Amino acid sequence: VRATKTAAPSTRRSSKQREAIAAYLETAAHHPTAEQVLRAVRKRIPALGLATVYRNLEALVRDGHASRTMHPEGARYDTRVDPHHHFTCSVCGIVENVDPGPQETKWIQAFQRSTGAAVHRVVADIRGVCADCRRR
Amino acid sequence: VRATKTAAPSTRRSSKQREAIAAYLETAAHHPTAEQVLRAVRKRIPALGLATVYRNLEALVRDGHASRTMHPEGARYDTRVDPHHHFTCSVCGIVENVDPGPQETKWIQAFQRSTGAAVHRVVADIRGVCADCRRR
DNA sequence: CTGCCTGCAAAGAATTTGCATGCGC
DNA sequence: GCGCATGCAAATTCTTTGCAGGCAG
C-alpha cells in the first residue's frame, strides 16, 4: 500500500480502453465532449468509467494526439492537432473544422509586426449558420 | 410565499451592486473572471455575494453590455461587445484585445463564399508571447 | 511478479438555483 | 406596500483524485 497519485496514463502501456477511446476520437467528426466519448465507447466496453475517459483524453492531449477546446457548454476533444479553427452552426449545433487560409496568415503576420508579439497558435471560434440550415 | 425562480435580473431596476459591477468591468482591462470581479467590487461593497456577481454578469451579457469568453481556466468577462479578438501571453498570462484587420475580413469572406455558410461572429484566441515578455 | 491503468466513489471547482429578507420605486 | 434583486446556502454540473484490484509486460 503506497502513495498514489492517479494522474493521466503515460504512453508506455496500452489498454483496450485507451485504444478504443483514441479510435473513436479518430472517427468522430463532431468534436465530442467527454460524456459523448463515454457513451460511444461504452457500446464496446460497457464497464468503461468516466474517469478513465478523462484520464485518457488528458493523456492524448498531453502527447499531442488530440486537442481540447473550450465551448460555453464544456470541453470538446478533437484529433486534429494541426492549426485549424472551428465553425459552430447556431441552428443545428454542428461543429466543423476550418482550415487556415492565406489571408489569415497575412493577418497574423501583420499582428506580429505591429505589436512585437510572437504568435504560437491561433484558434478562431466562428459562429453562424451553416449552408444546410440556411437553405431552410 | 410564492413561487420563485431566481434568474438574471432584468434591466428595469438599478442597484448599487449592479452599477458597481458594470463600472468595474468598464475599467478592468484584464478580462476578469467572476471571482476577480467579486474580489474587486467587494472593496466597495463588502457584503457582495458571488451569486449576485454571476447574475449581473449574465444580465450584462444578455443585454449586450458585456461579452463572455471561455478560457481553459474558466469564463472571462469583457465590456467590449463589438467584434474583436483576444491575445493571451503564455508567459505573463495577460489577456489583450485585438482589433479585426482587413486581412481577417477577407479571410472570412472567402470562407463564406466557399462554404455557403453565413458568419455572424468570429472570435480568435491568439496565444503567444507578448512583446514585453519577449524582451526578457 | 510489479506496477501501471482501470472502475467506482468521493472530492473539488465553477456556476446556478431556492428562499427569505430588504431596498427601490 | 409590492415586487425585484440580493445574500446565503444548497444543488448542479463538470472534472479530478484516492483506493483497491486486475491486466500487461
Side-chain angles (χ1 to χ4, degrees):
Chain A
V1 179
R2 60 192 64 265
T4 43
K5 166 78 173 188
T6 312
S10 67
T11 317
R12 310 183 202 168
R13 194 132 130 197
S14 71
S15 77
K16 60 180 181 186
Q17 288 84 345
R18 160 105 48 107
E19 284 164 26
I21 290 168
Y24 170 70
L25 211 55
E26 285 288 344
T27 66
H30 11 306
H31 301 72
T33 62
E35 238 355 293
Q36 292 173 322
V37 172
L38 177 72
R39 278 201 291 272
V41 179
R42 265 194 176 162
K43 288 174 187 165
R44 310 220 282 106
I45 307 177
L48 183 68
L50 183 56
T52 300
V53 172
Y54 274 109
R55 280 189 287 238
N56 278 294
L57 288 173
E58 181 189 344
L60 287 168
V61 170
R62 175 173 41 60
D63 296 343
H65 301 306
S67 63
R68 176 193 209 193
T69 37
M70 293 306 285
H71 269 240
E73 321 79 38
R76 286 165 170 273
Y77 298 86
D78 183 6
T79 45
R80 278 197 67 168
V81 294
D82 60 314
H84 70 284
H85 313 290
H86 296 305
F87 172 82
T88 305
C89 176
S90 50
V91 175
C92 65
I94 195 175
V95 179
E96 293 173 355
N97 286 323
V98 177
D99 289 306
Q103 312 280 8
E104 182 214 334
T105 308
K106 286 182 189 166
W107 171 44
I108 296 303
Q109 284 172 348
F111 171 75
Q112 295 190 93
R113 270 197 302 276
S114 63
T115 62
V119 172
H120 295 155
R121 192 168 56 76
V122 180
V123 179
D125 177 23
I126 306 171
R127 302 271 171 160
V129 181
C130 71
D132 286 348
C133 288
R134 283 187 74 189
R135 269 195 281 280
R136 316 183 1 162
Chain B
V1 180
R2 59 193 69 262
T4 43
K5 164 80 173 185
T6 313
S10 66
T11 318
R12 312 183 201 167
R13 194 131 130 198
S14 71
S15 78
K16 60 180 182 190
Q17 288 83 348
R18 161 108 46 108
E19 282 164 28
I21 290 168
Y24 171 69
L25 211 54
E26 285 290 344
T27 65
H30 9 306
H31 301 73
T33 63
E35 245 343 304
Q36 291 173 322
V37 172
L38 177 73
R39 278 201 291 272
V41 180
R42 265 194 175 161
K43 288 175 187 163
R44 310 219 285 105
I45 307 177
L48 184 67
L50 182 55
T52 299
V53 172
Y54 274 109
R55 280 190 287 240
N56 279 294
L57 288 173
E58 182 189 343
L60 287 168
V61 170
R62 173 172 43 60
D63 296 344
H65 301 307
S67 64
R68 176 193 211 197
T69 36
M70 295 306 286
H71 268 240
E73 320 80 38
R76 286 165 171 274
Y77 297 85
D78 183 7
T79 46
R80 276 197 67 168
V81 293
D82 60 312
H84 69 284
H85 312 289
H86 296 306
F87 172 81
T88 306
C89 176
S90 51
V91 175
C92 64
I94 194 174
V95 178
E96 294 173 354
N97 286 324
V98 177
D99 289 306
Q103 313 279 7
E104 181 214 336
T105 307
K106 286 182 190 168
W107 170 44
I108 295 302
Q109 285 172 350
F111 170 74
Q112 295 190 93
R113 270 196 302 277
S114 63
T115 62
V119 172
H120 296 155
R121 193 169 56 75
V122 180
V123 179
D125 178 24
I126 307 171
R127 302 272 170 160
V129 181
C130 72
D132 286 348
C133 288
R134 283 187 74 189
R135 268 195 281 281
R136 315 180 6 159

